[in-house]
Amino acid sequence: MERKSNHFSGQLGFVLAAAGSAVGVGNLWRFPYLAAKDGGGLFLIIYFVLVLTFGFTLLTSDIAIGRRTQKSAIGAYTEMHPKWKFLGILTFLVPVLIMTYYAVIGGWITKYAVVYLTGQAKAAAADDYFTSFITSSASPVLFALLFMGVTAFIVYNGVQNGIEKVSKWMMPVLLVLVVIIFIYSLTLKHTDASGQVHTGLQGFLYYLTPSFEGLTVQRFLQILLDAMSQLFFSLSVSMGIMITYGSYVKPDVDLNKAVNQIEIFDTGVAFLAGAMIIPAVFVFSGTEGMGAGPSLMFVSLPKVFAAMGKAGIFVGILFFVTAIFATLSSCISVLESIVANCMEIFHTGRKKTVSVLSAVYLAASAIIALGYSIFYVEVKLPNGSTGQLLDIMDYISNSVMMPFIALLSTILIGWVMTPDYVIDEMERNGKNFRRKKLYRIMIRYVAPVMMFILFLQSTGVLS
């Protein structure tokens, strides 16, 4: 087994970097939206159960495979079973596609942070502000390139001096900012035009209380699938990132504790994201404001911040800086996964590999950023939605490839290699794998079925 020259300094460095990868922009806008849409506390209960079962299984598999093989996705799957090299290639292609647009979203968030920092918060609350920005042919490109450049610089500096060093200060700061906004949201109070008073505490209770209104078997299955897809994308599984990060983990690190800590950190931030956003939206927009969906971050929240008055400017700054950290940590992990695979395939050094890939993705980011103006297209996707360039890349990587990869990986580990392949690594150096029985059941019987259903649903077959 070839030892990697790059590695995390220890368990803390690995956990913060892996948690940083998991805590992405999806935690800040998708989780609150789904929680509000899917019965508040009911969604939370289902999500937490899935974290402890389904999420734990996929996360454990990826990290253990990475450390056992000391390779990234392509090399890891090839070493596991040469005939399954194709699965490594598929897994490698997911971050390759995601990287084309992640910096674009990071650029949008950075733009909003700059807007709030320069005192233009009022303009950001206008109905057409976001549309005007993304359809411009200059501004979105500039911010996408800036975000991509910062990401590349961090990865260029290596695992310990780049990724770990940034994660060690960025993730605690992110957590503190989320908690501050959450506490402030609970203190909010607003009287609407009809004289009805809305408080942040009411919004928080709305978020926590399970709603069983109109619940049918079909609706329950939809909520289950929503929670599963959110968890799936949130934990950065089935895209090779956790395999790559696992390959940087030293043999003496207890993977059982590490997996638990990553689950807790990621789920905690997702829960707090809902707790800071839903009460604020509830106070100023009522239950109707919860239906904003993907536009929540860039359209609805600026209106909420504007309604807060002068305090809203400060809260807006905190929120978008938090979002920058969340997006940057994920963007770093996506690029690192590509870099690590390319270094293994082409036997090149980190600096040369990052330099070449940076040039490729600076160009790709610019093209995707122009997907709402110069390169505007409308493509009907199998799930019924209409997508532009960014949506197409997102659909292929997230809705088609990731569920398919997860399905194949559960078959490979559960039935071809057997679960002992992962369990042996989790018990390395005499460590206690407490959830061993659960892992066996999940990887062989439950996860493959769930992934097959998710794949059919996300590709539009079941919708």
Side-chain angles (χ1 to χ4, degrees), residues 339 342-343 346-355:
V339 167
C342 288
M343 286 168 65
F346 301 110
H347 305 289
T348 51
R350 172 172 293 272
K351 288 178 166 52
K352 182 178 180 181
T353 307
V354 174
S355 298

Side-chain angles (χ1 to χ4, degrees), residues 240-255:
I241 289 172
M242 290 304 178
I243 295 177
T244 296
Y245 275 16
S247 72
Y248 298 147
V249 178
K250 292 179 178 178
D252 59 340
V253 169
D254 186 345
L255 291 189

Side-chain angles (χ1 to χ4, degrees), residues 108-186:
W108 293 351
I109 294 167
T110 306
K111 163 70 174 179
Y112 271 71
V114 170
V115 164
Y116 276 83
L117 284 165
T118 54
Q120 302 172 58
K122 190 176 180 181
D127 289 334
D128 62 344
Y129 186 83
F130 181 61
T131 303
S132 298
F133 164 59
I134 63 172
T135 53
S136 152
S137 58
S139 189
V141 175
L142 179 65
F143 280 98
L145 296 183
L146 173 65
F147 200 88
M148 184 65 228
V150 172
T151 303
F153 176 75
I154 294 167
V155 174
Y156 184 85
N157 283 306
V159 176
Q160 277 193 44
N161 293 326
I163 299 167
E164 183 177 334
K165 186 180 285 186
V166 170
S167 298
K168 273 187 172 178
W169 68 263
M170 193 161 64
M171 297 320 294
V173 171
L174 182 149
L175 187 58
V176 170
L177 291 176
V178 169
V179 170
I180 289 172
I181 301 173
F182 159 57
I183 293 171
Y184 178 74
S185 290
L186 293 183

